[in-house]
Amino acid sequence: MLVGFSVCNYKSFKSGQKISFEASKITRHKEHVIVKKNKRILKSGLIFGANAGGKSNLVKAIHFSREIILNGLDKVNLSKSHFRIENDMYKQPGIFEYRIIVGDAEYSYGIVISYLNKVILSEWLMKIENSNLETYLFNREVDENNISHAESEVEYSNIDEKYKMDFYLEGFSENITEPYKRKSILSDIALRASEKEGVFAEIRKVYEWFEDIIILFPNSKYNGLNEVAADDSKKIFFSNMVDYFDTGIESVEGESQQMNFDKILDNIPREDAEKIKIDISNAANEHPIMFRVNKQVFELRKDAYGNIVYNKLVLNHGNEDDMFDYNDESDGTKRLFDLIPLFYENRKISLILIDEIDRSLHTNLTRKFLEIFYEIVEGRDCQLIATTHDSNLLDLELLRQDEIWFVERQDDHSSKIFSLNIFKERFDKKIDKEYLIGRYGAIPIFNERFTLENIDDE
């Protein structure tokens, strides 16, 4: 569970900004709260604000830092990720910190990067037992002499565990090499250690928490459509959902299609393309295989005639003799196909982030999606963070005050994050109208000096 996240010097976030998912004393919508480690944690957060206010940058900050944590600095673009409005901000570090609960333990994990030197300056994983007991599982920093240090405060269960930790941290200490300057200790230990218990198992669980985060941007596409076509239970689930959301689709089906390798491999040299086809054909003799192209996953098999085929997703709009392709659907229906898998794929504990959850969706549909989400995740350690422009979702019958956040652009073009909860509104307040008239800020401010005559004059 995400307890809180803070960011400093990333895109529109200049000074440190924080979003928290610790529930306040509000008693409404108790099903939106789960108790972990004696903390009441919210299951969702909706983020509102004007265009260019910085809403999407909050989601991008989590995506960006997650990529660094899992894959290192070499996998992200550092050149334009700092606060660019001030020329010297590339000399200042970017700071990302997470407060999380994994299993029965609470942790603070943070990472500090240098945009200038393209290295990790600091990284820590602290286990928080209580307000008086905090233990660094590891702590790494670069001192004023540019010397790297890494250490641990763990009380080891045996001497072998200590020697192993010393060995791992030595690679991030005084004689650190260039590749280690750009990778996280968290990923290095998690991918090398295989212990099922003890400190290394804890580190692995934290790493897996970051792995399990699901992030959807407006142009994200679900890559498992053809898997749906080959799975009867998924087809039934999709059919029920798209019918419930009134898309006009009566059922989701699958039909066998022959794979057109000549079209798919058109841009690959002929000899390489032929080799790929032979390899796939030989592998498919044994059992169905998975093949990915253009972000879509195909399960390939051989039919009775030796042809390579796959199950293609098709949609029944009431005429079984003339089925529709996915590409025939509206943008809103396609967006639903990106969102619906969250309901059945998210069986593990995870954090879901959706940028522009309302993109191409009717406001009633977006609201119903959220209501279903709350029903499905009841009793589960699952959270949803989403950005939206849909002011109709600003309804205290749907959300708690502490689940509503605003991002507002300041005079210096930096972004500020704040909660509706600071306004102490009554539970029966019509906050959507108050928001639109500017009571909470985070709305567009138009240039009152602009007139159509100005354009004509030019």
Side-chain angles (χ1 to χ4, degrees):
M1 301 289 287
L2 181 63
V3 181
F5 172 73
S6 63
V7 56
C8 177
N9 193 20
Y10 174 77
K11 292 193 178 293
S12 61
F13 298 108
K14 177 186 175 185
S15 59
Q17 297 293 313
K18 179 181 179 181
I19 186 168
S20 172
F21 294 92
E22 287 196 62
S24 64
K25 296 179 180 179
I26 295 167
T27 58
R28 303 193 80 214
H29 299 301
K30 293 180 179 179
E31 70 278 11
H32 294 195
V33 177
I34 190 165
V35 178
K36 304 288 290 185
K37 290 289 291 181
N38 296 319
K39 291 181 182 289
R40 298 172 65 248
I41 308 300
L42 296 168
K43 289 192 172 184
S44 70
L46 259 64
I47 305 164
F48 298 81
N51 293 97
K55 300 185 305 299
S56 295
N57 286 340
L58 183 63
V59 178
K60 289 175 182 177
I62 294 177
H63 175 72
F64 178 81
S65 55
R66 176 179 179 266
E67 282 295 305
I68 295 171
I69 293 162
L70 299 180
N71 302 308
L73 285 175
D74 292 336
K75 299 299 182 180
V76 298
N77 181 7
L78 295 173
S79 63
K80 294 184 178 181
S81 295
H82 60 281
F83 182 72
R84 295 166 58 196
I85 304 302
E86 294 185 10
N87 292 333
D88 288 342
M89 287 299 290
Y90 74 95
K91 298 177 182 178
Q92 300 301 314
I95 305 171
F96 308 86
E97 183 175 7
Y98 294 81
R99 191 76 169 257
I100 62 177
I101 295 176
V102 182
D104 296 324
E106 183 175 0
Y107 302 92
S108 168
Y109 175 84
I111 194 161
V112 181
I113 64 170
S114 169
Y115 294 110
L116 178 63
N117 298 317
K118 297 178 173 54
V119 297
I120 294 173
L121 298 173
S122 179
E123 181 191 4
W124 64 91
L125 178 60
M126 178 191 293
K127 186 174 184 178
I128 303 167
E129 303 288 355
N130 54 57
S131 59
N132 298 317
L133 181 56
E134 300 176 341
T135 303
Y136 281 107
L137 301 192
F138 59 77
N139 184 33
R140 157 196 194 179
E141 57 186 18
V142 177
D143 65 22
E144 63 274 8
N145 297 316
N146 205 31
I147 304 298
S148 183
H149 304 273
E151 58 187 3
S152 174
E153 296 178 340
V154 171
E155 292 185 8
Y156 301 101
S157 58
N158 57 67
I159 193 66
D160 288 339
E161 194 174 54
K162 180 184 186 308
Y163 286 153
K164 195 167 187 177
M165 179 65 84
D166 290 343
F167 174 74
Y168 288 143
L169 296 184
E170 184 179 3
F172 294 90
S173 297
E174 202 166 332
N175 296 318
I176 187 171
T177 59
E178 285 299 321
Y180 279 76
K181 292 179 180 180
R182 297 188 295 276
K183 70 188 299 188
S184 72
I185 293 179
L186 185 66
S187 66
D188 184 68
I189 292 179
L191 297 177
R192 295 169 69 183
S194 58
E195 284 80 355
K196 303 299 183 183
E197 57 185 26
V199 62
F200 299 117
E202 278 195 80
I203 291 171
R204 176 73 192 182
K205 287 178 182 178
V206 173
Y207 175 85
E208 289 173 347
W209 184 87
F210 283 102
E211 270 194 320
D212 290 341
I213 294 175
I214 298 170
I215 303 176
L216 295 181
F217 289 104
N219 295 321
S220 297
K221 297 298 179 186
Y222 178 53
N223 63 13
L225 291 177
N226 297 295
E227 293 179 77
V228 172
D231 187 309
D232 288 340
S233 63
K234 289 182 180 179
K235 283 189 291 188
I236 292 171
F237 186 89
F238 258 85
S239 296
N240 290 335
M241 294 300 288
V242 295
D243 179 61
Y244 176 79
F245 284 122
D246 191 28
T247 62
I249 299 171
E250 295 188 0
S251 63
V252 174
E253 307 290 347
E255 65 179 29
S256 184
Q257 293 273 324
Q258 186 169 336
M259 178 61 74
N260 187 344
F261 284 108
D262 292 332
K263 181 178 180 181
I264 291 174
L265 304 176
D266 184 49
N267 295 322
I268 297 176
R270 182 176 295 276
E271 290 184 4
D272 293 339
E274 288 299 323
K275 185 177 185 305
I276 291 172
K277 285 192 283 186
I278 292 170
D279 290 343
I280 290 174
S281 179
N282 291 337
N285 282 328
E286 305 295 328
H287 51 74
I289 63 170
M290 306 307 292
F291 181 66
R292 180 186 292 269
V293 60
N294 295 332
K295 298 184 179 180
Q296 280 295 313
V297 176
F298 297 83
E299 184 181 84
L300 306 182
R301 66 186 190 281
K302 278 196 171 181
D303 65 12
Y305 304 99
N307 299 312
I308 302 293
V309 297
Y310 69 98
N311 284 303
K312 178 183 178 181
L313 183 111
V314 292
L315 307 163
N316 177 9
H317 277 266
N319 181 1
E320 294 184 357
D321 296 324
D322 191 359
M323 305 291 265
F324 284 62
D325 287 340
Y326 167 80
N327 286 329
D328 294 328
E329 299 300 326
S330 69
D331 288 342
T333 300
K334 289 178 181 177
R335 181 61 165 170
L336 272 178
F337 273 85
D338 299 331
L339 298 178
I340 287 172
L342 297 175
F343 290 136
Y344 69 77
E345 285 194 342
N346 186 45
R347 300 306 181 194
K348 294 190 292 184
I349 297 169
S350 65
L351 169 66
I352 300 168
L353 295 106
I354 306 175
D355 188 23
E356 296 186 24
I357 189 173
D358 54 319
R359 184 183 70 79
S360 300
L361 299 181
H362 190 279
T363 183
N364 289 351
L365 196 154
T366 309
R367 183 188 181 100
K368 187 57 67 174
F369 178 90
L370 291 171
E371 291 173 350
I372 293 175
F373 170 83
Y374 292 129
E375 290 180 21
I376 288 178
V377 302
E378 188 170 357
R380 287 169 49 194
D381 294 357
C382 183
Q383 290 170 294
L384 171 67
I385 302 173
T387 70
T388 179
H389 288 117
D390 190 347
S391 61
N392 290 312
L393 300 177
L394 282 167
D395 184 349
L396 298 181
E397 292 295 324
L398 174 68
L399 302 169
R400 295 164 51 98
Q401 287 97 317
D402 47 9
E403 291 178 292
I404 296 171
W405 289 80
F406 300 107
V407 178
E408 182 177 63
R409 188 175 69 249
Q410 305 298 290
D411 290 340
D412 65 355
H413 297 278
S414 67
S415 295
K416 177 183 177 182
I417 306 172
F418 54 98
S419 170
L420 174 67
N421 213 34
I422 66 175
F423 295 93
K424 310 294 183 185
E425 296 289 23
R426 286 172 48 90
F427 70 90
D428 56 353
K429 187 80 168 182
K430 297 296 183 183
I431 58 172
D432 56 336
K433 294 181 174 61
E434 296 293 313
Y435 170 66
L436 291 176
I437 64 174
R439 170 169 166 76
Y440 313 121
I443 61 171
I445 304 298
F446 303 109
N447 184 351
E448 298 296 338
R449 295 190 302 273
F450 172 84
T451 65
L452 293 176
E453 286 78 5
N454 295 146
I455 297 177
D456 294 337
D457 290 344
E458 292 179 6

